[in-house]
């Protein structure tokens, strides 16, 4: 297995020094945001994690290797190339075998992080149960991964391109803890509220770290979701963004977009229709998640 995994020097050093490490995904870079904001976001988020006492490890597939920690030129490659594969669990072995460039989703980043023994992972939003899933059966592989792989994912909830109540039901069925950070509601990515009540809330990062510790000690399989709302000042108006999301979902239906293309299509439509306002909020919320994710990882490392 080791032959497929390559740590950057920074991550290698962090491992030897037993420093807390925070994983980052690459689909958010290559299929979630336009260039050059995507690469700037990736670099800023890494720096935020360093500034809060942890070491960032952005994960991607390059030249037949799972890279844990990317150099700036590798981040640039993922941000710019138009032949980057979107890699979920299903695609992992194929893209490595074919030595293609692959961007990892939440699901595959969790797998790779677990292979490298990294316990915390920061992103923007997780995939979920899509609207109309009764017909399409479109449920992100992220959700099943969360039930299998022991990595804690810090995110701003999920976008309301998804069916949020069904996403929560699915996670409950699969036994995945979803903990609101200083919130009692599932955040809806661009907005702090979704109307979906959560079962657990933590008001301090130390409380989250100690829940992680017990879960690891008990060897309970699967991950956890830490739902951290976008800062008040950066959130979008709910009615405004809901209209735009509804239009984007309709357009995807009309164009027959489905499968792995669905989420990237919706994300880019939303950026287009908001004249970039959604992108600014998206970047702010990932940065905010990076702060909290690094704090949780640091707290955990002291237990
Ligand atoms: N949601 C976002 N931004 C993203 C994604 C989701 O707000 O970039 C990406 C993540 O990589 C997530 C993936 O794992 O989309 C989910 O894709 P799908 O719905 O095809 O499983
Ligand atoms: Mn899907």
């Amino acid at each position: 297995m080791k032959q497929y995994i390559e740590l950057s020097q920074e991550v290698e050093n962090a491992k030897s020094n037993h420093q807390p490490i925070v994983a980052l995904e690459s689909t958010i870079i290559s299929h979630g945001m336009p260039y050059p904001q995507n690469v700037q976001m990736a670099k800023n988020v890494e720096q935020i994690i360093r500034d809060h006492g942890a070491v960032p490890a952005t994960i991607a597939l390059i030249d037949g290797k799972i890279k844990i920690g990317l150099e700036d030129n590798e981040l640039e490659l993922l941000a710019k190339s138009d032949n980057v594969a979107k890699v979920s669990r299903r695609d992992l072995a194929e893209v490595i075998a074919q030595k293609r460039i692959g961007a990892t989703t939440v699901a595959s980043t969790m797998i790779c992080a677990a292979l490298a023994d990294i316990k915390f992972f920061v992103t923007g939003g997780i995939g979920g149960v899509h609207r109309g899933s009764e017909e399409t059966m479109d449920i992100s592989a992220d959700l099943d991964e969360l039930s299998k792989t022991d990595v804690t994912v810090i995110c701003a909830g999920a976008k309301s391109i998804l069916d949020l109540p069904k996403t929560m039901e699915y996670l409950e069925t699969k036994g995945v803890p979803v903990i609101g950070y200083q919130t009692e509601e599932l955040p809806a990515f661009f907005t702090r509220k979704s109307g979906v009540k959560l079962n657990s809330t933590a008001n301090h990062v130390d409380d989250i770290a100690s829940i992680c510790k017990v879960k690891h000690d008990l060897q309970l399989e699967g991950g956890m979701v830490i739902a951290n709302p976008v800062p008040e000042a950066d959130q979008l108006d709910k009615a405004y963004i809901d209209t735009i999301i509804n239009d984007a979902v309709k357009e995807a239906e009309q164009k027959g977009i489905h499968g792995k293309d669905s989420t990237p299509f919706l994300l880019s439509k939303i950026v287009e229709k908001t004249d970039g306002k959604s992108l600014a909020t998206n970047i702010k919320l990932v940065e905010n998640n990076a702060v909290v994710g690094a704090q949780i990882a640091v707290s955990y490392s002291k237990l």
Side-chain angles (χ1 to χ4, degrees):
M1 184 223 289
K2 286 247 156 60
Q3 72 265 36
Y4 300 114
I5 301 175
E6 202 169 287
L7 307 188
S8 68
Q9 195 58 55
E10 186 182 20
V11 173
E12 188 92 56
N13 293 346
K15 288 244 165 227
S16 334
N17 301 326
H18 305 287
Q19 286 172 282
I21 304 176
V22 175
L24 297 159
E25 63 156 306
S26 43
T27 293
I28 190 177
I29 304 172
S30 62
H31 297 85
M33 288 183 192
Y35 184 83
Q37 290 93 336
N38 56 359
V39 67
Q40 281 158 8
M41 177 280 304
K43 288 179 185 169
N44 283 345
V45 165
E46 288 196 346
Q47 194 51 46
I48 290 169
I49 289 173
R50 292 185 193 103
D51 292 345
H52 288 81
V55 173
T58 306
I59 295 178
L61 312 177
I62 301 173
D63 290 337
K65 302 274 184 204
I66 298 171
K67 296 264 190 169
I68 312 281
L70 300 182
E71 305 301 333
D72 281 359
N73 64 317
E74 293 169 326
L75 283 178
E76 198 72 36
L77 179 75
L78 278 150
K80 254 191 185 159
S81 311
D82 45 19
N83 60 348
V84 180
K86 177 182 164 189
V87 176
S88 192
R89 169 178 275 273
R90 168 190 72 182
D91 318 286
L92 202 51
E94 182 181 342
V95 172
I96 294 172
Q98 295 177 346
K99 300 188 164 48
R100 287 158 61 200
I101 307 171
T104 52
T105 62
V106 168
S108 58
T109 305
M110 289 178 75
I111 297 171
C112 298
L115 288 173
D117 198 23
I118 298 173
K119 295 189 162 58
F120 300 96
F121 161 26
V122 161
T123 188
I126 55 169
V129 178
H130 279 258
R131 297 191 198 172
S133 61
E134 311 85 283
E135 280 291 316
T136 61
M137 285 184 69
D138 190 347
I139 300 174
S140 174
D142 293 352
L143 299 186
D144 274 48
E145 204 59 52
L146 280 160
S147 74
K148 284 196 267 238
T149 301
D150 185 3
V151 172
T152 296
V153 182
I154 296 94
C155 65
K159 284 203 173 79
S160 54
I161 56 175
L162 303 170
D163 184 325
L164 298 182
K166 283 203 184 75
T167 299
M168 286 303 296
E169 288 294 348
Y170 196 90
L171 289 169
E172 180 172 310
T173 299
K174 294 283 178 170
V176 179
V178 180
I179 302 175
Y181 180 60
Q182 299 175 347
T183 181
E184 293 182 352
E185 260 186 50
L186 179 71
F189 199 85
F190 295 122
T191 56
R192 293 174 62 82
K193 301 231 154 138
S194 65
V196 180
K197 276 259 172 285
L198 291 172
N199 205 51
S200 17
T201 298
N203 287 322
H204 200 282
V205 291
D206 294 342
D207 300 332
I208 296 173
S210 57
I211 296 169
C212 293
K213 170 85 165 64
V214 175
K215 190 175 155 298
H216 292 149
D217 289 347
L218 294 176
Q219 298 180 358
L220 288 173
E221 66 183 2
M224 293 209 290
V225 175
I226 308 304
N228 180 35
V230 60
E232 197 94 50
D234 301 307
Q235 74 173 332
L236 295 178
D237 179 72
K238 188 172 177 340
Y240 165 74
I241 194 68
D242 281 353
T243 310
I244 282 176
I245 289 173
N246 287 336
D247 290 350
V249 170
K250 261 189 226 136
E251 192 172 333
E253 259 167 40
Q254 280 158 7
K255 293 196 164 141
I257 311 272
H258 66 276
K260 72 176 183 15
D261 300 328
S262 173
T263 299
F265 175 85
L266 293 170
L267 298 179
S268 73
K269 271 291 149 196
I270 294 166
V271 173
E272 187 187 306
K273 286 174 192 286
T274 60
D275 284 326
K277 275 204 225 41
S278 68
L279 181 58
T281 296
N282 197 344
I283 291 169
K284 291 285 189 188
L285 66 84
V286 182
E287 291 175 353
N288 186 46
N289 294 340
V291 173
V292 173
Q295 288 172 339
I296 295 170
V298 168
S299 171
Y300 182 88
S301 70
K302 293 178 179 154
L303 292 174

